[in-house]
PDB file of all heavy atoms in Angstrom:
ATOM      1  N   ALA A 978      -8.699  56.603  25.422  1.00  0.00           N
ATOM      2  CA  ALA A 978      -7.300  56.506  25.834  1.00  0.00           C
ATOM      3  C   ALA A 978      -7.224  56.558  27.355  1.00  0.00           C
ATOM      4  O   ALA A 978      -8.061  57.187  28.018  1.00  0.00           O
ATOM      5  CB  ALA A 978      -6.496  57.636  25.224  1.00  0.00           C
ATOM      6  N   PRO A 979      -6.234  55.920  27.952  1.00  0.00           N
ATOM      7  CA  PRO A 979      -6.048  56.021  29.397  1.00  0.00           C
ATOM      8  C   PRO A 979      -5.789  57.468  29.790  1.00  0.00           C
ATOM      9  O   PRO A 979      -5.199  58.242  29.033  1.00  0.00           O
ATOM     10  CB  PRO A 979      -4.814  55.149  29.663  1.00  0.00           C
ATOM     11  CG  PRO A 979      -4.645  54.297  28.447  1.00  0.00           C
ATOM     12  CD  PRO A 979      -5.217  55.078  27.315  1.00  0.00           C
ATOM     13  N   GLY A 980      -6.210  57.851  31.001  1.00  0.00           N
ATOM     14  CA  GLY A 980      -5.967  59.206  31.470  1.00  0.00           C
ATOM     15  C   GLY A 980      -4.491  59.475  31.649  1.00  0.00           C
ATOM     16  O   GLY A 980      -3.717  58.566  31.984  1.00  0.00           O
ATOM     17  N   GLU A 981      -4.095  60.735  31.459  1.00  0.00           N
ATOM     18  CA  GLU A 981      -2.677  61.071  31.505  1.00  0.00           C
ATOM     19  C   GLU A 981      -2.082  60.885  32.899  1.00  0.00           C
ATOM     20  O   GLU A 981      -0.872  60.849  33.066  1.00  0.00           O
ATOM     21  CB  GLU A 981      -2.472  62.515  31.037  1.00  0.00           C
ATOM     22  CG  GLU A 981      -3.125  63.553  31.922  1.00  0.00           C
ATOM     23  CD  GLU A 981      -2.950  64.963  31.383  1.00  0.00           C
ATOM     24  OE1 GLU A 981      -3.115  65.151  30.164  1.00  0.00           O
ATOM     25  OE2 GLU A 981      -2.653  65.860  32.184  1.00  0.00           O
ATOM     26  N   ASN A 982      -2.947  60.767  33.917  1.00  0.00           N
ATOM     27  CA  ASN A 982      -2.455  60.570  35.279  1.00  0.00           C
ATOM     28  C   ASN A 982      -2.044  59.129  35.537  1.00  0.00           C
ATOM     29  O   ASN A 982      -1.447  58.829  36.585  1.00  0.00           O
ATOM     30  CB  ASN A 982      -3.529  60.987  36.293  1.00  0.00           C
ATOM     31  CG  ASN A 982      -4.811  60.176  36.146  1.00  0.00           C
ATOM     32  OD1 ASN A 982      -5.267  59.949  35.020  1.00  0.00           O
ATOM     33  ND2 ASN A 982      -5.394  59.758  37.263  1.00  0.00           N
ATOM     34  N   LEU A 983      -2.335  58.235  34.625  1.00  0.00           N
ATOM     35  CA  LEU A 983      -1.992  56.828  34.818  1.00  0.00           C
ATOM     36  C   LEU A 983      -0.533  56.606  34.421  1.00  0.00           C
ATOM     37  O   LEU A 983      -0.158  56.775  33.256  1.00  0.00           O
ATOM     38  CB  LEU A 983      -2.916  55.924  33.996  1.00  0.00           C
ATOM     39  CG  LEU A 983      -4.418  56.035  34.296  1.00  0.00           C
ATOM     40  CD1 LEU A 983      -5.184  55.011  33.479  1.00  0.00           C
ATOM     41  CD2 LEU A 983      -4.682  55.850  35.785  1.00  0.00           C
ATOM     42  N   ARG A 984       0.283  56.222  35.375  1.00  0.00           N
ATOM     43  CA  ARG A 984       1.722  56.053  35.157  1.00  0.00           C
ATOM     44  C   ARG A 984       2.206  54.755  35.813  1.00  0.00           C
ATOM     45  O   ARG A 984       1.614  54.278  36.785  1.00  0.00           O
ATOM     46  CB  ARG A 984       2.507  57.221  35.769  1.00  0.00           C
ATOM     47  CG  ARG A 984       1.992  58.611  35.400  1.00  0.00           C
ATOM     48  CD  ARG A 984       2.641  59.134  34.161  1.00  0.00           C
ATOM     49  NE  ARG A 984       2.097  60.433  33.748  1.00  0.00           N
ATOM     50  CZ  ARG A 984       2.795  61.367  33.092  1.00  0.00           C
ATOM     51  NH1 ARG A 984       4.064  61.137  32.783  1.00  0.00           N
ATOM     52  NH2 ARG A 984       2.225  62.496  32.749  1.00  0.00           N
ATOM     53  N   ILE A 985       3.306  54.236  35.272  1.00  0.00           N
ATOM     54  CA  ILE A 985       3.894  53.032  35.860  1.00  0.00           C
ATOM     55  C   ILE A 985       4.686  53.418  37.117  1.00  0.00           C
ATOM     56  O   ILE A 985       4.880  54.603  37.425  1.00  0.00           O
ATOM     57  CB  ILE A 985       4.795  52.292  34.837  1.00  0.00           C
ATOM     58  CG1 ILE A 985       5.960  53.175  34.363  1.00  0.00           C
ATOM     59  CG2 ILE A 985       3.966  51.842  33.648  1.00  0.00           C
ATOM     60  CD1 ILE A 985       7.262  53.015  35.046  1.00  0.00           C
ATOM     61  N   ASP A 986       5.151  52.423  37.842  1.00  0.00           N
ATOM     62  CA  ASP A 986       5.969  52.632  39.042  1.00  0.00           C
ATOM     63  C   ASP A 986       7.442  52.523  38.641  1.00  0.00           C
ATOM     64  O   ASP A 986       7.961  51.411  38.464  1.00  0.00           O
ATOM     65  CB  ASP A 986       5.617  51.582  40.097  1.00  0.00           C
ATOM     66  CG  ASP A 986       6.377  51.760  41.403  1.00  0.00           C
ATOM     67  OD1 ASP A 986       7.449  52.395  41.395  1.00  0.00           O
ATOM     68  OD2 ASP A 986       5.907  51.237  42.436  1.00  0.00           O
ATOM     69  N   PRO A 987       8.147  53.645  38.486  1.00  0.00           N
ATOM     70  CA  PRO A 987       9.524  53.583  37.979  1.00  0.00           C
ATOM     71  C   PRO A 987      10.492  52.890  38.924  1.00  0.00           C
ATOM     72  O   PRO A 987      11.442  52.238  38.481  1.00  0.00           O
ATOM     73  CB  PRO A 987       9.899  55.055  37.778  1.00  0.00           C
ATOM     74  CG  PRO A 987       8.988  55.810  38.694  1.00  0.00           C
ATOM     75  CD  PRO A 987       7.713  55.027  38.736  1.00  0.00           C
ATOM     76  N   ASP A 988      10.255  53.024  40.234  1.00  0.00           N
ATOM     77  CA  ASP A 988      11.143  52.374  41.198  1.00  0.00           C
ATOM     78  C   ASP A 988      11.027  50.857  41.112  1.00  0.00           C
ATOM     79  O   ASP A 988      12.033  50.137  41.161  1.00  0.00           O
ATOM     80  CB  ASP A 988      10.829  52.849  42.619  1.00  0.00           C
ATOM     81  CG  ASP A 988      11.130  54.327  42.820  1.00  0.00           C
ATOM     82  OD1 ASP A 988      12.092  54.826  42.196  1.00  0.00           O
ATOM     83  OD2 ASP A 988      10.408  54.983  43.595  1.00  0.00           O
ATOM     84  N   ARG A 989       9.803  50.370  40.996  1.00  0.00           N
ATOM     85  CA  ARG A 989       9.604  48.920  40.886  1.00  0.00           C
ATOM     86  C   ARG A 989      10.221  48.389  39.588  1.00  0.00           C
ATOM     87  O   ARG A 989      10.883  47.329  39.601  1.00  0.00           O
ATOM     88  CB  ARG A 989       8.109  48.603  40.936  1.00  0.00           C
ATOM     89  CG  ARG A 989       7.784  47.120  40.801  1.00  0.00           C
ATOM     90  CD  ARG A 989       6.314  46.856  41.071  1.00  0.00           C
ATOM     91  NE  ARG A 989       5.455  47.642  40.185  1.00  0.00           N
ATOM     92  CZ  ARG A 989       4.158  47.846  40.404  1.00  0.00           C
ATOM     93  NH1 ARG A 989       3.564  47.345  41.478  1.00  0.00           N
ATOM     94  NH2 ARG A 989       3.440  48.567  39.551  1.00  0.00           N
ATOM     95  N   LEU A 990      10.037  49.105  38.481  1.00  0.00           N
ATOM     96  CA  LEU A 990      10.635  48.684  37.218  1.00  0.00           C
ATOM     97  C   LEU A 990      12.149  48.641  37.343  1.00  0.00           C
ATOM     98  O   LEU A 990      12.795  47.668  36.914  1.00  0.00           O
ATOM     99  CB  LEU A 990      10.213  49.641  36.097  1.00  0.00           C
ATOM    100  CG  LEU A 990      10.898  49.442  34.739  1.00  0.00           C
ATOM    101  CD1 LEU A 990      10.667  48.038  34.192  1.00  0.00           C
ATOM    102  CD2 LEU A 990      10.417  50.500  33.737  1.00  0.00           C
ATOM    103  N   TRP A 991      12.719  49.684  37.911  1.00  0.00           N
ATOM    104  CA  TRP A 991      14.178  49.758  38.041  1.00  0.00           C
ATOM    105  C   TRP A 991      14.707  48.634  38.938  1.00  0.00           C
ATOM    106  O   TRP A 991      15.715  47.998  38.633  1.00  0.00           O
ATOM    107  CB  TRP A 991      14.592  51.123  38.574  1.00  0.00           C
ATOM    108  CG  TRP A 991      16.052  51.400  38.400  1.00  0.00           C
ATOM    109  CD1 TRP A 991      17.035  51.325  39.349  1.00  0.00           C
ATOM    110  CD2 TRP A 991      16.712  51.779  37.185  1.00  0.00           C
ATOM    111  NE1 TRP A 991      18.249  51.644  38.807  1.00  0.00           N
ATOM    112  CE2 TRP A 991      18.086  51.929  37.482  1.00  0.00           C
ATOM    113  CE3 TRP A 991      16.254  52.009  35.882  1.00  0.00           C
ATOM    114  CZ2 TRP A 991      19.020  52.296  36.507  1.00  0.00           C
ATOM    115  CZ3 TRP A 991      17.181  52.385  34.915  1.00  0.00           C
ATOM    116  CH2 TRP A 991      18.548  52.521  35.230  1.00  0.00           C
ATOM    117  N   ASP A 992      14.014  48.396  40.050  1.00  0.00           N
ATOM    118  CA  ASP A 992      14.439  47.321  40.954  1.00  0.00           C
ATOM    119  C   ASP A 992      14.403  45.969  40.247  1.00  0.00           C
ATOM    120  O   ASP A 992      15.293  45.121  40.456  1.00  0.00           O
ATOM    121  CB  ASP A 992      13.547  47.286  42.197  1.00  0.00           C
ATOM    122  CG  ASP A 992      13.773  48.464  43.140  1.00  0.00           C
ATOM    123  OD1 ASP A 992      14.801  49.154  42.976  1.00  0.00           O
ATOM    124  OD2 ASP A 992      12.922  48.690  44.019  1.00  0.00           O
ATOM    125  N   SER A 993      13.396  45.754  39.409  1.00  0.00           N
ATOM    126  CA  SER A 993      13.304  44.493  38.664  1.00  0.00           C
ATOM    127  C   SER A 993      14.453  44.356  37.671  1.00  0.00           C
ATOM    128  O   SER A 993      15.029  43.278  37.511  1.00  0.00           O
ATOM    129  CB  SER A 993      11.955  44.399  37.944  1.00  0.00           C
ATOM    130  OG  SER A 993      10.887  44.368  38.875  1.00  0.00           O
ATOM    131  N   LEU A 994      14.791  45.452  36.996  1.00  0.00           N
ATOM    132  CA  LEU A 994      15.931  45.435  36.067  1.00  0.00           C
ATOM    133  C   LEU A 994      17.213  45.060  36.801  1.00  0.00           C
ATOM    134  O   LEU A 994      18.016  44.248  36.318  1.00  0.00           O
ATOM    135  CB  LEU A 994      16.081  46.800  35.401  1.00  0.00           C
ATOM    136  CG  LEU A 994      15.038  47.182  34.344  1.00  0.00           C
ATOM    137  CD1 LEU A 994      15.111  48.676  34.042  1.00  0.00           C
ATOM    138  CD2 LEU A 994      15.233  46.367  33.065  1.00  0.00           C
ATOM    139  N   MET A 995      17.416  45.645  37.967  1.00  0.00           N
ATOM    140  CA  MET A 995      18.636  45.369  38.728  1.00  0.00           C
ATOM    141  C   MET A 995      18.638  43.939  39.281  1.00  0.00           C
ATOM    142  O   MET A 995      19.699  43.313  39.363  1.00  0.00           O
ATOM    143  CB  MET A 995      18.776  46.377  39.874  1.00  0.00           C
ATOM    144  CG  MET A 995      18.976  47.829  39.416  1.00  0.00           C
ATOM    145  SD  MET A 995      20.380  48.035  38.276  1.00  0.00           S
ATOM    146  CE  MET A 995      19.491  48.381  36.733  1.00  0.00           C
ATOM    147  N   GLU A 996      17.470  43.440  39.650  1.00  0.00           N
ATOM    148  CA  GLU A 996      17.384  42.075  40.162  1.00  0.00           C
ATOM    149  C   GLU A 996      17.691  41.067  39.052  1.00  0.00           C
ATOM    150  O   GLU A 996      18.439  40.102  39.265  1.00  0.00           O
ATOM    151  CB  GLU A 996      15.991  41.821  40.744  1.00  0.00           C
ATOM    152  CG  GLU A 996      15.860  40.544  41.546  1.00  0.00           C
ATOM    153  CD  GLU A 996      16.650  40.560  42.835  1.00  0.00           C
ATOM    154  OE1 GLU A 996      16.938  41.650  43.364  1.00  0.00           O
ATOM    155  OE2 GLU A 996      16.984  39.452  43.329  1.00  0.00           O
ATOM    156  N   MET A 997      17.144  41.289  37.852  1.00  0.00           N
ATOM    157  CA  MET A 997      17.432  40.409  36.723  1.00  0.00           C
ATOM    158  C   MET A 997      18.910  40.469  36.367  1.00  0.00           C
ATOM    159  O   MET A 997      19.514  39.451  35.974  1.00  0.00           O
ATOM    160  CB  MET A 997      16.564  40.775  35.526  1.00  0.00           C
ATOM    161  CG  MET A 997      16.724  39.867  34.311  1.00  0.00           C
ATOM    162  SD  MET A 997      16.253  38.125  34.610  1.00  0.00           S
ATOM    163  CE  MET A 997      14.459  38.275  34.680  1.00  0.00           C
ATOM    164  N   ALA A 998      19.522  41.638  36.508  1.00  0.00           N
ATOM    165  CA  ALA A 998      20.933  41.811  36.140  1.00  0.00           C
ATOM    166  C   ALA A 998      21.868  41.015  37.036  1.00  0.00           C
ATOM    167  O   ALA A 998      23.034  40.787  36.679  1.00  0.00           O
ATOM    168  CB  ALA A 998      21.307  43.282  36.176  1.00  0.00           C
ATOM    169  N   LYS A 999      21.381  40.557  38.201  1.00  0.00           N
ATOM    170  CA  LYS A 999      22.214  39.733  39.078  1.00  0.00           C
ATOM    171  C   LYS A 999      22.422  38.334  38.500  1.00  0.00           C
ATOM    172  O   LYS A 999      23.328  37.610  38.918  1.00  0.00           O
ATOM    173  CB  LYS A 999      21.570  39.622  40.456  1.00  0.00           C
ATOM    174  CG  LYS A 999      21.521  40.936  41.226  1.00  0.00           C
ATOM    175  CD  LYS A 999      20.798  40.753  42.554  1.00  0.00           C
ATOM    176  CE  LYS A 999      20.678  42.068  43.316  1.00  0.00           C
ATOM    177  NZ  LYS A 999      19.916  41.899  44.581  1.00  0.00           N
ATOM    178  N   ILE A1000      21.582  37.951  37.542  1.00  0.00           N
ATOM    179  CA  ILE A1000      21.674  36.611  36.944  1.00  0.00           C
ATOM    180  C   ILE A1000      22.529  36.686  35.691  1.00  0.00           C
ATOM    181  O   ILE A1000      22.232  37.444  34.772  1.00  0.00           O
ATOM    182  CB  ILE A1000      20.266  36.076  36.605  1.00  0.00           C
ATOM    183  CG1 ILE A1000      19.424  35.962  37.877  1.00  0.00           C
ATOM    184  CG2 ILE A1000      20.370  34.732  35.895  1.00  0.00           C
ATOM    185  CD1 ILE A1000      17.978  35.588  37.622  1.00  0.00           C
ATOM    186  N   GLY A1001      23.603  35.922  35.648  1.00  0.00           N
ATOM    187  CA  GLY A1001      24.528  35.966  34.522  1.00  0.00           C
ATOM    188  C   GLY A1001      25.296  37.257  34.480  1.00  0.00           C
ATOM    189  O   GLY A1001      25.336  37.923  33.438  1.00  0.00           O
ATOM    190  N   PRO A1002      25.954  37.643  35.586  1.00  0.00           N
ATOM    191  CA  PRO A1002      26.693  38.904  35.580  1.00  0.00           C
ATOM    192  C   PRO A1002      27.903  38.822  34.647  1.00  0.00           C
ATOM    193  O   PRO A1002      28.498  37.763  34.474  1.00  0.00           O
ATOM    194  CB  PRO A1002      27.127  39.063  37.030  1.00  0.00           C
ATOM    195  CG  PRO A1002      27.170  37.673  37.580  1.00  0.00           C
ATOM    196  CD  PRO A1002      26.069  36.935  36.878  1.00  0.00           C
ATOM    197  N   GLY A1003      28.234  39.959  34.039  1.00  0.00           N
ATOM    198  CA  GLY A1003      29.438  40.035  33.225  1.00  0.00           C
ATOM    199  C   GLY A1003      30.655  40.284  34.089  1.00  0.00           C
ATOM    200  O   GLY A1003      30.596  40.163  35.320  1.00  0.00           O
ATOM    201  N   VAL A1004      31.734  40.657  33.455  1.00  0.00           N
ATOM    202  CA  VAL A1004      32.982  40.904  34.194  1.00  0.00           C
ATOM    203  C   VAL A1004      33.210  42.395  34.406  1.00  0.00           C
ATOM    204  O   VAL A1004      34.150  42.785  35.101  1.00  0.00           O
ATOM    205  CB  VAL A1004      34.193  40.297  33.454  1.00  0.00           C
ATOM    206  CG1 VAL A1004      34.068  38.784  33.375  1.00  0.00           C
ATOM    207  CG2 VAL A1004      34.338  40.891  32.051  1.00  0.00           C
ATOM    208  N   ALA A1005      32.370  43.240  33.808  1.00  0.00           N
ATOM    209  CA  ALA A1005      32.587  44.686  33.886  1.00  0.00           C
ATOM    210  C   ALA A1005      31.286  45.439  34.140  1.00  0.00           C
ATOM    211  O   ALA A1005      31.090  46.548  33.636  1.00  0.00           O
ATOM    212  CB  ALA A1005      33.242  45.182  32.602  1.00  0.00           C
ATOM    213  N   GLY A1006      30.374  44.815  34.907  1.00  0.00           N
ATOM    214  CA  GLY A1006      29.159  45.512  35.302  1.00  0.00           C
ATOM    215  C   GLY A1006      27.939  45.235  34.444  1.00  0.00           C
ATOM    216  O   GLY A1006      26.847  45.708  34.752  1.00  0.00           O
ATOM    217  N   GLY A1007      28.108  44.472  33.376  1.00  0.00           N
ATOM    218  CA  GLY A1007      26.981  44.157  32.502  1.00  0.00           C
ATOM    219  C   GLY A1007      26.490  42.743  32.723  1.00  0.00           C
ATOM    220  O   GLY A1007      26.422  42.259  33.859  1.00  0.00           O
ATOM    221  N   ASN A1008      26.154  42.058  31.630  1.00  0.00           N
ATOM    222  CA  ASN A1008      25.594  40.709  31.730  1.00  0.00           C
ATOM    223  C   ASN A1008      26.143  39.787  30.653  1.00  0.00           C
ATOM    224  O   ASN A1008      26.463  40.211  29.545  1.00  0.00           O
ATOM    225  CB  ASN A1008      24.075  40.733  31.619  1.00  0.00           C
ATOM    226  CG  ASN A1008      23.399  41.078  32.925  1.00  0.00           C
ATOM    227  OD1 ASN A1008      22.925  42.194  33.112  1.00  0.00           O
ATOM    228  ND2 ASN A1008      23.372  40.139  33.856  1.00  0.00           N
ATOM    229  N   ASN A1009      26.231  38.508  31.009  1.00  0.00           N
ATOM    230  CA  ASN A1009      26.511  37.428  30.064  1.00  0.00           C
ATOM    231  C   ASN A1009      25.458  36.354  30.330  1.00  0.00           C
ATOM    232  O   ASN A1009      25.674  35.440  31.113  1.00  0.00           O
ATOM    233  CB  ASN A1009      27.923  36.886  30.250  1.00  0.00           C
ATOM    234  CG  ASN A1009      28.255  35.765  29.271  1.00  0.00           C
ATOM    235  OD1 ASN A1009      27.477  35.472  28.363  1.00  0.00           O
ATOM    236  ND2 ASN A1009      29.402  35.140  29.461  1.00  0.00           N
ATOM    237  N   ARG A1010      24.320  36.519  29.705  1.00  0.00           N
ATOM    238  CA  ARG A1010      23.190  35.600  29.879  1.00  0.00           C
ATOM    239  C   ARG A1010      22.754  35.157  28.485  1.00  0.00           C
ATOM    240  O   ARG A1010      21.663  35.479  28.007  1.00  0.00           O
ATOM    241  CB  ARG A1010      22.068  36.294  30.645  1.00  0.00           C
ATOM    242  CG  ARG A1010      21.006  35.352  31.205  1.00  0.00           C
ATOM    243  CD  ARG A1010      20.037  36.061  32.151  1.00  0.00           C
ATOM    244  NE  ARG A1010      19.435  37.231  31.542  1.00  0.00           N
ATOM    245  CZ  ARG A1010      19.642  38.481  31.955  1.00  0.00           C
ATOM    246  NH1 ARG A1010      20.419  38.740  32.993  1.00  0.00           N
ATOM    247  NH2 ARG A1010      19.051  39.498  31.324  1.00  0.00           N
ATOM    248  N   GLN A1011      23.632  34.398  27.838  1.00  0.00           N
ATOM    249  CA  GLN A1011      23.390  33.997  26.456  1.00  0.00           C
ATOM    250  C   GLN A1011      22.271  32.960  26.381  1.00  0.00           C
ATOM    251  O   GLN A1011      21.990  32.256  27.348  1.00  0.00           O
ATOM    252  CB  GLN A1011      24.674  33.440  25.843  1.00  0.00           C
ATOM    253  CG  GLN A1011      25.787  34.468  25.734  1.00  0.00           C
ATOM    254  CD  GLN A1011      27.065  33.865  25.176  1.00  0.00           C
ATOM    255  OE1 GLN A1011      27.094  33.380  24.045  1.00  0.00           O
ATOM    256  NE2 GLN A1011      28.120  33.895  25.963  1.00  0.00           N
ATOM    257  N   ALA A1012      21.670  32.871  25.206  1.00  0.00           N
ATOM    258  CA  ALA A1012      20.497  32.018  25.019  1.00  0.00           C
ATOM    259  C   ALA A1012      20.798  30.561  25.351  1.00  0.00           C
ATOM    260  O   ALA A1012      21.829  30.007  24.961  1.00  0.00           O
ATOM    261  CB  ALA A1012      20.003  32.126  23.579  1.00  0.00           C
ATOM    262  N   LEU A1013      19.882  29.963  26.094  1.00  0.00           N
ATOM    263  CA  LEU A1013      19.866  28.533  26.401  1.00  0.00           C
ATOM    264  C   LEU A1013      21.060  28.096  27.254  1.00  0.00           C
ATOM    265  O   LEU A1013      21.421  26.922  27.270  1.00  0.00           O
ATOM    266  CB  LEU A1013      19.784  27.691  25.121  1.00  0.00           C
ATOM    267  CG  LEU A1013      18.683  28.084  24.133  1.00  0.00           C
ATOM    268  CD1 LEU A1013      18.546  27.044  23.033  1.00  0.00           C
ATOM    269  CD2 LEU A1013      17.354  28.299  24.826  1.00  0.00           C
ATOM    270  N   THR A1014      21.658  29.031  27.967  1.00  0.00           N
ATOM    271  CA  THR A1014      22.642  28.690  28.996  1.00  0.00           C
ATOM    272  C   THR A1014      21.904  28.477  30.316  1.00  0.00           C
ATOM    273  O   THR A1014      20.710  28.783  30.447  1.00  0.00           O
ATOM    274  CB  THR A1014      23.664  29.811  29.165  1.00  0.00           C
ATOM    275  OG1 THR A1014      22.957  31.027  29.509  1.00  0.00           O
ATOM    276  CG2 THR A1014      24.477  30.025  27.889  1.00  0.00           C
ATOM    277  N   ASP A1015      22.618  27.989  31.320  1.00  0.00           N
ATOM    278  CA  ASP A1015      22.017  27.831  32.643  1.00  0.00           C
ATOM    279  C   ASP A1015      21.529  29.176  33.174  1.00  0.00           C
ATOM    280  O   ASP A1015      20.491  29.255  33.836  1.00  0.00           O
ATOM    281  CB  ASP A1015      23.029  27.225  33.615  1.00  0.00           C
ATOM    282  CG  ASP A1015      23.374  25.778  33.276  1.00  0.00           C
ATOM    283  OD1 ASP A1015      22.617  25.153  32.495  1.00  0.00           O
ATOM    284  OD2 ASP A1015      24.395  25.284  33.783  1.00  0.00           O
ATOM    285  N   GLU A1016      22.295  30.228  32.863  1.00  0.00           N
ATOM    286  CA  GLU A1016      21.908  31.567  33.320  1.00  0.00           C
ATOM    287  C   GLU A1016      20.600  32.020  32.665  1.00  0.00           C
ATOM    288  O   GLU A1016      19.748  32.646  33.316  1.00  0.00           O
ATOM    289  CB  GLU A1016      23.026  32.564  33.032  1.00  0.00           C
ATOM    290  CG  GLU A1016      24.292  32.353  33.847  1.00  0.00           C
ATOM    291  CD  GLU A1016      25.165  31.217  33.331  1.00  0.00           C
ATOM    292  OE1 GLU A1016      24.912  30.732  32.196  1.00  0.00           O
ATOM    293  OE2 GLU A1016      26.102  30.822  34.048  1.00  0.00           O
ATOM    294  N   ASP A1017      20.447  31.712  31.387  1.00  0.00           N
ATOM    295  CA  ASP A1017      19.193  32.016  30.700  1.00  0.00           C
ATOM    296  C   ASP A1017      18.044  31.301  31.396  1.00  0.00           C
ATOM    297  O   ASP A1017      16.975  31.889  31.647  1.00  0.00           O
ATOM    298  CB  ASP A1017      19.294  31.605  29.233  1.00  0.00           C
ATOM    299  CG  ASP A1017      18.035  31.938  28.424  1.00  0.00           C
ATOM    300  OD1 ASP A1017      17.276  32.830  28.832  1.00  0.00           O
ATOM    301  OD2 ASP A1017      17.826  31.302  27.376  1.00  0.00           O
TER     302      ASP A1017
END
């Protein structure tokens, strides 16, 4: 098993989530990125 000291980078993951959320923004802070739309 991997050693318990091996961890992901939470800041990088969070920044990626926020960057993806800029594509197909909703009207109330979420997302509207439905399948096979331009935003998708």
Side-chain angles (χ1 to χ4, degrees):
E981 63 183 44
N982 60 316
L983 301 184
R984 310 270 177 150
I985 61 96
D986 183 337
D988 294 327
R989 179 171 57 197
L990 172 59
W991 195 258
D992 289 346
S993 297
L994 288 166
M995 295 305 109
E996 191 67 24
M997 183 62 73
K999 294 177 183 178
I1000 299 174
V1004 297
N1008 278 104
N1009 181 7
R1010 195 171 54 245
Q1011 296 178 62
L1013 310 190
T1014 58
D1015 292 344
E1016 292 79 12
D1017 182 23

